[in-house]
């Protein structure tokens, strides 16, 4: 498999994902914070976006896995981990806290950076610093 085909597939997939985030309004941190504000000015839009993503995955994932391999890779890379451990819980908690404080997770933050959103201009460097810190403190981690 040629590296340029894989790179183009990644770029097209990322652009399509970013477009979907933008069209659904999920690049707006206030919309995310509104979803998390269940006792205040609740905004259910993210619930519909998540429902669409989970529903699509539930419907199509079994058909994708019937293929012998992905289109642009030699094999599927599916985790064989089957237990919830301290690292998973801590990572999920840190992700959730950051998401709740900033209203950004990595995908929307990169889209926000592309349109020069003031919040993304400080969030993305902080996110990259966190990734580098993880890489420096965990041997198996990677950026």
């Amino acid at each position: 498999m040629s590296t340029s085909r894989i790179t183009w597939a990644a770029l097209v997939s990322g652009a399509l994902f970013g477009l979907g985030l933008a069209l659904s309004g999920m690049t707006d941190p206030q919309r995310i914070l509104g979803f998390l504000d269940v006792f205040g000015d609740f905004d259910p839009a993210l619930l519909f976006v998540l429902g669409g993503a989970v529903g699509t995955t539930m419907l199509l994932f079994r058909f994708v896995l019937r293929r012998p391999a992905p289109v642009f890779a030699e094999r599927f890379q599916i985790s064989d981990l089957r237990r919830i451990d301290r690292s998973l819980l801590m990572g999920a908690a840190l992700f959730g806290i950051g998401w709740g404080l900033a209203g950004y997770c990595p995908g929307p933050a990169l889209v926000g950076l592309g349109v020069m959103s003031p919040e993304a201009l400080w969030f993305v460097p902080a996110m990259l610093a966190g990734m580098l810190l993880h890489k420096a403190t965990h041997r198996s981690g990677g950026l």
Side-chain angles (χ1 to χ4, degrees):
M1 193 66 51
S2 82
T3 304
S4 64
R5 284 183 61 190
I6 294 170
T7 301
W8 277 108
L11 285 171
V12 169
S13 297
L16 185 61
F17 180 67
L19 180 64
L21 289 172
L23 289 175
S24 64
M26 295 302 113
T27 58
D28 179 5
Q30 294 308 313
R31 180 155 250 173
I32 303 307
L33 294 173
F35 172 75
L36 298 173
D37 187 7
V38 293
F39 297 113
D41 191 20
F42 180 68
D43 181 353
L46 179 58
L47 188 62
F48 294 108
V49 172
L50 289 172
V54 170
T56 302
T57 300
M58 285 176 54
L59 183 66
L60 299 177
F61 201 66
R62 69 178 134 213
F63 297 111
V64 170
L65 290 180
R66 286 185 184 161
R67 298 180 53 84
V71 176
F72 294 109
E74 293 179 14
R75 63 182 179 85
F76 288 104
Q77 295 183 16
I78 299 173
S79 175
D80 60 353
L81 297 177
R82 298 291 181 248
R83 63 184 181 91
I84 297 173
D85 61 7
R86 183 174 179 261
S87 293
L88 177 64
L89 291 174
M90 292 299 293
L94 284 172
F95 180 91
I97 290 167
W99 196 35
L101 289 173
Y104 269 136
C105 64
L110 293 176
V111 174
L113 186 64
V115 297
M116 302 301 286
S117 164
E119 295 94 352
L121 291 175
W122 63 263
F123 182 87
V124 171
M127 177 181 73
L128 292 173
M131 290 176 176
L132 290 172
L133 178 63
H134 178 270
K135 184 176 182 181
T137 59
H138 294 78
R139 295 174 210 256
S140 65
L143 188 75

